[in-house]
Amino acid sequence: MSGTSSVSVPFLAPSPIAAEQEEGMQLRPRFDAAGLVTAVVTDHASGDLLMVAHMNAEALEQTLASGFAHYWSRSRSALWKKGETSGALQAVREVLVDCDQDAIWLKVQVEKPEDTCHTGRATCFYRRVGPHGHGLLPALDRA
């Protein structure tokens, strides 16, 4: 299965009982058929949306164990510690899970915010969709 590892992870399997999965107090990530959950990443202080990535069980385990964000690169089929080469490390300040546990929300502090995106920007969301879905336009500058 793509996106998985032979590393043993401490997660319980998703519960077939909706109330247990949605209201229970156990982390039971619901990985998709590729073995991934979506990770939404925001700046802990400002709340700005930085990026969206994917995590397999090993990436989630490494994130929780180390306190630094790890992801699964779908294009490289490899585990990736965010900022390991760029210096834009993401120190995790809070981890939240959505209702059915198929998405993770990381609130992070970034060491080099200007390099959050591989394009050299502080966010991956630097364009907005034009009126009626026509074209892409620069995002509004908040400065």
Side-chain angles (χ1 to χ4, degrees):
M1 178 170 9
S2 174
T4 61
S5 170
S6 60
V7 172
S8 174
V9 293
F11 307 118
L12 297 172
S15 175
I17 303 166
E20 188 172 271
Q21 185 72 14
E22 296 171 1
E23 305 294 335
M25 301 310 289
Q26 294 291 326
L27 179 58
R28 297 173 172 269
R30 187 179 303 273
F31 297 101
D32 67 14
L36 303 172
V37 293
T38 300
V40 177
V41 186
T42 60
D43 182 274
H44 184 260
S46 70
D48 288 346
L49 178 61
L50 303 177
M51 59 184 276
V52 174
H54 296 88
M55 301 174 106
N56 66 359
E58 184 179 4
L60 182 55
E61 178 184 33
Q62 290 293 320
T63 296
L64 296 174
S66 72
F68 288 93
H70 290 72
Y71 304 104
W72 178 257
S73 170
R74 296 180 301 170
S75 61
R76 294 186 312 257
S77 294
L79 187 67
W80 152 52
K81 181 179 181 182
K82 176 64 177 160
E84 193 165 40
T85 57
S86 69
L89 291 168
Q90 294 179 344
V92 177
R93 298 294 177 238
E94 189 173 6
V95 179
L96 296 96
V97 63
D98 77 333
C99 55
D100 59 356
Q101 300 194 46
D102 65 355
I104 304 292
W105 178 7
L106 299 179
K107 294 184 180 185
V108 302
Q109 178 180 338
V110 181
E111 294 297 320
K112 287 177 57 184
E114 67 277 8
D115 286 337
T116 291
C117 182
H118 76 280
T119 65
R121 292 178 171 89
T123 176
C124 291
F125 294 88
Y126 53 89
R127 295 173 292 179
R128 60 186 166 92
V129 177
H132 309 290
H134 298 288
L136 295 176
L137 306 168
L140 299 175
D141 186 8
R142 293 186 227 180

